[in-house]
Amino acid sequence: MRLSAPTGDTPWRAPSSYWPALTSAIAGRPLPCATLDATAVEHNASDLVHRAAGLPIRVATKSVRSRPVLQAVLQLPGFAGVLAYTLAEAVWASTWCADVVLGYPTADRAALSDLLADERACRHVTLMIDSIDHLDLIDSVAAPGVRPEVRVAIELDLAYDPPRAGRITGRIGVYRSPISTVTAARALARAVVGRAGFALVGAMGYEAQLAGIGDALLTAESWPGRLANTATSARTLILRRLQSDSWFDVLARRAAMVAAISDITGGLEFVNGGGTGSIHLTRQDPSVTEVAAGSGLFGPTLFDGYRAFTPAPAAAFALPVVRRPSAEIATVLGGGWIASGPPGPSRVPRPVWPQQMRMIANEGAGEVQTPLRGPGASDLRVGDLTWWRHAKAGELCEHIDELVVVRTTGRAGAQAGPGDVTAEVVDTIPTYRGEGKAFL
C-alpha cells in the first residue's frame, strides 16, 4: 500500500455516487468485503498532521491493526513510531518499526521472556508502567544482571474530578494509572531511577475525557436513532463545560508531573499525550513532545460527533442481501460486529448505503444475519450489496483477513451523479488477523 499527499478530492461527500462506485470496484470479490479508501486515508492523515501543528504523531496500532497500513502511514511526513497495545504485538512490531512504545502495562510473562531475551527488541521497545509492581514483575522474569536494560515510561492519570455541580459529580475520564499527583509521579520516578536494569525515558498522559467523547449535537442525519432533543442538548452543553474545565486541569497537572519526573531523570526522550479527538488541544501543551492517533485514519462512526474535525469514512464493509422476509425487509449476511465500550447504539455498526435503513429493534445486528427495514431496504434484491461503517476503527480488522484498498476520485457535492465518482482497486493487504496475529 502506498500513500501520498492528498489530492483534494472528497468523493465521499457525494454518497449517491460514492457507494455505488465502491460496489462496482469490488464486484466479484468474496463477501463480506472490507475496503480502505486510500484517497480518504490521505485526507485524514493530512488533517491529523494539520491539527498536530508540528508535533510528531505516534500511530496507535490498536486503531489500525494492519501492518501494511501502519508502514505506509509511517512513511508520511508528520508520523513517527507506533503505540502498541500488547507486549507480544510490540515485540513483533519492533521487527518492522524501530520506535515502539507499549501503551499499556503488561503482565504477560511469556512475552516478557521473549523481549528480555532479545537485545535488539529491548533497544526498540519501551514498556509502560504505573507502579513498582510492574518493575518487580519484569525482574521476576529476568534479573537485571542477566538481561538487557529495559526502557520504561510512566503513565500519568489525567481523569478529571470536578467539584460538585448540581447532580454532576464523580470522575470524568477513564480508570487507568494511579499516578495522578506530583507526589506520586516523583515517588515512582525515584524508584525507577534508583533501580538497576531500568531506564526511565518517557511519560504518557491520555486525556480520554477529551479525546474519546464527542462534543457535537447529534441529529437524525449524523446519528440515526439518536435524535437531538432538549435532554441531549442540555447534556452536550454540560459536557462541553466539563471538557473545558478538564482541559485546564490537564494542562496544569500534566506539566507539573512531567517537570517532577524530568527533575529526577535529567530529562525525558518523549512525553506522549492526546488522541484523535484531542490533538488540536494537546498540541498546545508545552510539556508534550508527541501526540498519539490512529482512529482518525479510518474515520469510524464514533468520530462523527466532534466539532473540531470531520474525518472521511475511509474504512467500510459490504454485506450482501441474502433473503427478503417481506416486501419491507431485506436481510444481509453478518452484521454483528459490535464495538467495545458501554453497550448501546453508539457501538453498533451503521448501515450507510442505501440510505434510510435501520435495524429491527428486537433483533439488532445479528451474528449471522441482520434484517433491515426502511425505504432504502424495499428495493433491494438478493445479491445486492449494502455498505456499513464500523463504530470503532481497528476492531473492524478483527473480523476480516484482508483489506481491499481502493482509490476514489471525483467531484463532491449534492449534485454529483453516476460517473462523477470512480473507484478502482489498487491493492489487497492483510490485516493482523490475515497474518495470523490475534493479539487481543
Side-chain angles (χ1 to χ4, degrees), residues 244-271:
S244 177
D245 293 346
S246 172
W247 172 236
F248 291 106
D249 173 72
V250 166
L251 274 176
R253 282 198 299 121
R254 180 162 50 200
M257 288 190 282
V258 167
I261 296 171
S262 297
D263 285 345
I264 293 167
T265 62
L268 294 171
E269 291 182 18
F270 69 89
V271 177

Side-chain angles (χ1 to χ4, degrees), residues 89-249:
E89 182 214 12
V91 173
W92 174 65
S94 71
T95 64
W96 47 266
C97 179
D99 183 4
V100 182
V101 173
L102 179 58
Y104 308 82
T106 185
D108 186 340
R109 289 180 174 274
L112 278 171
S113 182
D114 291 341
L115 173 70
L116 301 178
D118 188 338
E119 187 172 348
R120 178 204 53 79
C122 283
R123 291 196 304 269
H124 297 311
V125 175
T126 301
L127 301 185
M128 196 63 59
I129 66 167
D130 61 33
S131 73
I132 295 175
D133 291 343
H134 295 132
L135 306 181
D136 292 341
L137 180 63
I138 295 167
D139 280 345
S140 73
V141 174
V146 297
R147 62 164 167 81
E149 186 176 62
V150 176
R151 294 167 52 88
V152 298
I154 293 176
E155 180 166 12
L156 311 173
D157 174 67
L158 295 179
Y160 180 50
D161 289 309
R164 186 175 182 88
R167 294 185 178 181
I168 302 172
T169 60
R171 184 184 182 93
I172 307 297
V174 295
Y175 287 93
R176 289 173 68 115
S177 169
I179 308 301
S180 60
T181 66
V182 168
T183 300
R186 184 181 292 118
L188 183 53
R190 283 175 175 161
V192 178
V193 170
R195 192 152 172 166
F198 295 96
L200 179 53
V201 299
M204 182 179 78
Y206 174 53
E207 52 269 46
Q209 67 275 18
L210 302 172
I213 302 178
D215 62 351
L217 283 176
L218 302 177
T219 67
E221 291 73 28
S222 67
W223 204 283
R226 296 184 65 187
L227 304 185
N229 54 35
T230 302
T232 58
S233 298
R235 284 195 295 269
T236 300
L237 294 176
I238 293 170
L239 170 64
R240 291 176 184 174
R241 174 58 188 270
L242 288 171
Q243 287 182 323
S244 177
D245 293 346
S246 172
W247 172 236
F248 291 106
D249 173 72

